[in-house]
Amino acid sequence: MAIVPISIYGDKILRQKALPVKEVSDDLIRKIKNMFDTMRNANGIGFAANQAGYRESIFVLDLEGADGYEKFKPIVMINPKIILQSDEKSFKEEGCLSLPNLHANVLRSDIIKVSYMDTDEKEVEIEAGDLLARVILHEYDHLIGKMIPDRVAEDVKTKLSAELANIMNREVEIEYPITEG
Ligand code: ZN
């Protein structure tokens, strides 16, 4: 088990676009395991590679702790692509391990279709709704360098600015290892 420090808002890697994965190597499997360990240690339900300091286009999901998803198996999505987003959208509160203690309502599509490669290098396509769709869209955003503050209205972002500054300066209480900044 290896827990790695989580990148925090302001870290450059969170603004970089992820690099496509060509093959699922042993090194990649090791990184994926570290991502699960790090996410679970911080009680997260979704986690993108750049949050763990990795450049690859990967995120992991583990929704077993969420209401209605108890039987849901953990998923690894490699090179994910959002191929459909419903016009019907909803606001719901989101948090992010790279934005400790911050919460904001984010507008996202209710239903999406996503394609990705699994760890057996097979192409998979799934339709997702509700929480699953939201978590996938949130993690996909990380892979294109976007985060919650980029998905809220300008006035909301202004209201969050003091909190964001505190996070960048690491002036918040965080119960899991983070980067030094
Ligand atoms: Zn996040």
Side-chain angles (χ1 to χ4, degrees):
M1 176 151 150
I3 291 161
V4 299
I6 294 180
S7 308
I8 292 298
Y9 185 80
D11 289 2
K12 221 164 92 192
I13 195 165
L14 292 174
R15 292 308 189 184
Q16 291 175 332
K17 285 203 174 103
L19 305 174
V21 172
K22 292 194 183 80
E23 58 160 354
V24 180
S25 61
D26 290 347
D27 181 56
L28 198 77
I29 294 292
R30 182 188 58 82
K31 287 177 175 175
I32 289 168
K33 281 190 180 140
N34 290 351
M35 286 169 66
F36 273 115
D37 290 344
T38 304
M39 173 179 74
R40 287 172 176 145
N41 177 62
N43 294 317
I45 57 173
F47 197 57
N50 55 357
Q51 294 182 276
Y54 307 141
R55 293 296 314 277
E56 289 89 346
S57 178
I58 304 173
F59 57 75
V60 299
L61 309 172
D62 186 352
L63 275 66
E64 278 172 301
D67 277 350
Y69 287 88
E70 293 81 1
K71 288 181 182 156
F72 200 82
K73 293 275 166 287
I75 302 188
V76 180
M77 293 195 181
I78 302 168
N79 300 335
K81 280 191 191 71
I82 307 297
I83 49 182
L84 188 141
Q85 296 196 59
S86 66
D87 294 334
E88 298 77 43
K89 296 180 183 187
S90 312
F91 278 101
K92 260 213 179 92
E93 196 178 76
E94 290 185 20
C96 178
L97 295 180
S98 296
L99 290 159
N101 307 329
L102 184 137
H103 298 277
N105 283 317
V106 181
L107 184 67
R108 306 245 191 223
S109 288
D110 294 334
I111 298 169
I112 63 162
K113 256 190 197 163
V114 58
S115 68
Y116 61 94
M117 184 167 83
D118 69 12
T119 49
D120 296 322
E121 298 188 345
K122 278 201 206 88
E123 287 299 324
V124 183
E125 193 181 302
I126 61 162
E127 191 177 287
D130 303 314
L131 177 66
L132 181 59
R134 180 168 293 276
V135 178
I136 289 171
L137 290 172
H138 177 116
E139 301 313 327
Y140 179 80
D141 265 359
H142 276 298
L143 300 182
I144 57 170
K146 299 221 177 287
M147 299 178 73
I148 290 173
D150 308 311
R151 295 294 184 208
V152 297
E154 214 43 54
D155 62 316
V156 177
K157 193 173 172 179
T158 306
K159 276 184 207 144
L160 294 176
S161 59
E163 260 184 278
L164 290 171
N166 286 342
I167 290 169
M168 283 177 76
N169 297 325
R170 276 119 177 108
E171 285 162 355
V172 283
E173 214 175 299
I174 306 171
E175 286 170 355
Y176 44 84
I178 58 165
T179 56
E180 282 168 25

